[in-house]
């Protein structure tokens, strides 16, 4: 993307935006990492291959847990052993769960009723992660359980449920996601629970996601996923705040999100939004900027925000885990 010329700086009439929303966080939220691992079976297996390199370190610690998981005789017993599903125990538990069919779904449903009452936060969150992740691979039956149990989950569990329901294409869950987002967004400084329903709404292609993202951007509520989300689901409402974010700080994230939106809404609609602010340069320059933007393929933005479109790759894992996945 060609560097913006100074003559394209805005004029005196600024939007109400004051805080910067340009800086992406250093790492994905728990909800985003959860989604990356559940995007498809290949991504999940990639991560487990990577973590298996730590096996010599974990073998002694997890030996008893793995033995107990492998000895489980029934699906009910295995579901009850979810507290052991960490380290090598996670791989063993996941592999054993594959050996059971639909009978595990109602068992998970019953277990989800009471998880939020567990006092230890780490244990509680881990159980939510493992049970909800398992429902991701149970199709419509898994989606039905998540909808039925949604109100029994705490906020962390609800965020993960939204991610999973989006991946499952559960359109009936969109209103629940939106209602949860409306509550969770008020605590955006302290938690990332609101990221889960945004992922879900984006995966369901719900137009409310576009309005939510434009609102967060306009209010300067920056978080790791913001510009990747805007690339996937931003609409005309985000054009002006993205232009300001780009102009103010030479923000490449904003530029690439703007590129996606320009291709999505088209030249005329993009210029109509551009014209809503009194910029210093004449309209001819705004048209030239728009044409320059649209001369770049939408695929450039998809590659820039690649993990938001295709999940994790071996290279991504290499950056997260020392030694990556090996050969």
């Amino acid at each position: 993307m060609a560097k913006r010329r100074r003559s394209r700086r805005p004029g005196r009439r600024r939007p109400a935006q004051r805080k910067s929303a340009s800086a992406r966080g250093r790492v994905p939220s728990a909800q985003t990492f959860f989604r990356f691992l559940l995007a498809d079976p290949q991504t999940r297996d990639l991560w487990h291959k990577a973590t298996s390199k730590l096996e010599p370190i974990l073998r002694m610690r997890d030996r008893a847990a793995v033995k107990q998981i492998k000895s489980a005789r029934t699906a009910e017993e295995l579901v009850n052993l979810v507290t052991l599903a960490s380290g090598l125990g996670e791989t063993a538990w996941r592999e054993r769960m594959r050996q059971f069919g639909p009978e595990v779904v109602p068992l998970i449903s019953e277990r989800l009723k009471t998880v939020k009452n567990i006092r230890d936060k780490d244990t509680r969150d881990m159980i939510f992660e493992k049970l909800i992740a398992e429902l991701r691979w149970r199709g419509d039956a898994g989606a039905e359980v998540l909808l039925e149990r949604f109100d029994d989950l705490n906020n962390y569990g609800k965020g993960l449920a939204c991610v999973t329901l989006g991946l499952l294409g559960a359109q009936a869950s969109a209103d629940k996601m939106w209602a949860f987002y409306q509550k969770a967004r008020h605590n955006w400084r302290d938690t990332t629970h609101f990221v889960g329903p945004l992922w879900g709404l984006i995966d369901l292609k719900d137009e409310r996601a576009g309005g939510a993202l434009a609102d967060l951007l306009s209010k300067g509520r920056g978080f790791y996923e913001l510009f990747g989300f805007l690339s996937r689901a931003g609409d005309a409402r985000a054009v002006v705040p993205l232009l300001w974010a780009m102009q103010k700080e030479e923000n490449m994230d904003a530029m690439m999100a703007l590129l996606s939106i320009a291709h999505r809404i088209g030249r005329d609609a993009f210029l109509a939004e551009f014209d809503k602010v009194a910029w210093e340069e004449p309209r001819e320059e705004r048209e030239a900027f728009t044409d320059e933007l649209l001369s770049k393929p939408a695929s450039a933005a998809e590659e820039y925000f690649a993990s938001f479109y295709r999940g994790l790759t071996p290279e991504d894992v290499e950056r997260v885990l020392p030694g990556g996945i090996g050969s």
Side-chain angles (χ1 to χ4, degrees):
M1 182 65 64
K3 187 176 180 180
R4 178 188 49 80
R5 298 194 302 270
R6 281 192 176 274
S7 61
R8 287 177 183 158
R9 283 202 176 277
R12 290 184 292 274
R13 280 175 43 196
R14 291 183 64 91
Q17 180 175 342
R18 288 292 181 267
K19 299 177 183 177
S20 170
S22 65
R24 295 166 72 195
R26 294 181 181 273
V27 296
S29 67
Q31 294 75 16
T32 291
F33 192 67
F34 183 77
R35 187 191 180 280
F36 285 168
L37 295 184
L38 294 185
D40 53 57
Q42 290 73 33
T43 303
R44 178 195 59 191
D45 293 342
L46 175 68
W47 181 257
H48 284 287
K49 182 180 178 182
T51 55
S52 70
K53 293 190 69 178
L54 303 174
E55 184 170 336
I57 302 172
L58 300 175
R59 189 180 294 119
M60 290 298 295
R61 188 196 72 179
D62 298 338
R63 180 181 296 172
V66 170
K67 181 178 180 180
Q68 194 172 350
I69 289 168
K70 289 183 175 180
S71 300
R73 293 169 295 179
T74 65
E76 182 175 12
E77 185 179 353
L78 185 61
V79 169
N80 288 333
L81 291 175
V82 66
T83 55
L84 302 180
S86 63
L88 296 183
E90 177 179 3
T91 301
W93 189 82
R94 184 174 57 87
E95 290 174 350
R96 286 300 316 279
M97 289 295 285
R98 302 274 89 66
Q99 298 172 12
F100 293 96
E103 68 269 26
V104 303
V105 176
L107 296 172
I108 292 175
S109 177
E110 286 301 307
R111 188 64 190 268
L112 284 175
K113 286 182 180 180
T114 58
V115 176
K116 71 178 181 182
N117 297 325
I118 296 173
R119 300 184 72 175
D120 181 73
K121 178 183 183 300
D122 291 340
T123 301
R124 184 175 65 241
D125 289 352
M126 186 271 279
I127 294 175
F128 273 133
E129 290 166 4
K130 300 303 180 289
L131 295 180
I132 293 172
E134 182 59 31
L135 292 174
R136 163 41 177 143
W137 311 109
R138 300 290 172 168
D140 291 343
E144 289 175 10
V145 167
L146 289 173
L147 276 170
E148 183 180 0
R149 296 292 172 232
F150 195 85
D151 293 337
D152 293 320
L153 310 178
N154 66 4
N155 287 339
Y156 183 69
K158 287 176 180 176
L160 301 185
C162 288
V163 169
T164 306
L165 287 163
L167 287 169
L168 288 169
Q171 293 292 338
S173 67
D175 288 344
K176 245 182 213 309
M177 290 185 195
W178 181 247
F180 176 56
Y181 169 75
Q182 293 290 82
K183 295 178 181 178
R185 67 189 176 96
H186 296 297
N187 295 323
W188 72 279
R189 288 187 182 277
D190 301 318
T191 74
T192 57
H193 297 148
F194 69 97
V195 173
L198 287 175
W199 264 120
L201 291 165
I202 289 169
D203 282 332
L204 294 179
K205 296 179 170 56
D206 191 295
E207 64 180 12
R208 287 174 289 191
L213 294 170
D215 180 64
L216 290 168
L217 178 63
S218 296
K219 292 177 178 176
R221 297 183 175 180
F223 54 100
Y224 174 88
E225 295 82 1
L226 179 58
F227 293 103
F229 280 174
L230 283 161
S231 179
R232 281 199 55 185
D235 57 26
R237 291 168 286 187
V239 169
V240 170
L242 275 172
L243 284 166
W244 280 105
M246 182 198 74
Q247 299 252 8
K248 182 179 178 182
E249 302 179 24
E250 300 287 350
N251 186 338
M252 183 57 70
D253 286 356
M255 173 72 85
M256 299 309 282
L258 202 61
L259 173 61
S260 293
I261 294 173
H263 278 281
R264 189 152 48 241
I265 68 177
R267 184 179 188 274
D268 291 345
F270 186 87
L271 276 169
E273 295 299 317
F274 210 160
D275 289 341
K276 289 182 178 179
V277 175
W279 308 95
E280 289 181 351
E281 69 275 7
R283 193 173 195 274
E284 290 76 12
E285 287 201 25
R286 298 199 293 276
E287 291 177 353
F289 172 81
T290 301
D291 292 336
E292 179 186 354
L293 192 66
L294 287 168
S295 72
K296 308 297 182 183
S299 59
E302 292 180 14
E303 181 57 30
Y304 184 83
F305 295 111
S307 58
F308 287 84
Y309 287 88
R310 50 96 174 116
L312 297 177
T313 65
E315 292 74 24
D316 296 325
V317 175
E318 188 80 26
R319 288 191 290 270
V320 176
L321 284 180
I325 65 172
S327 58

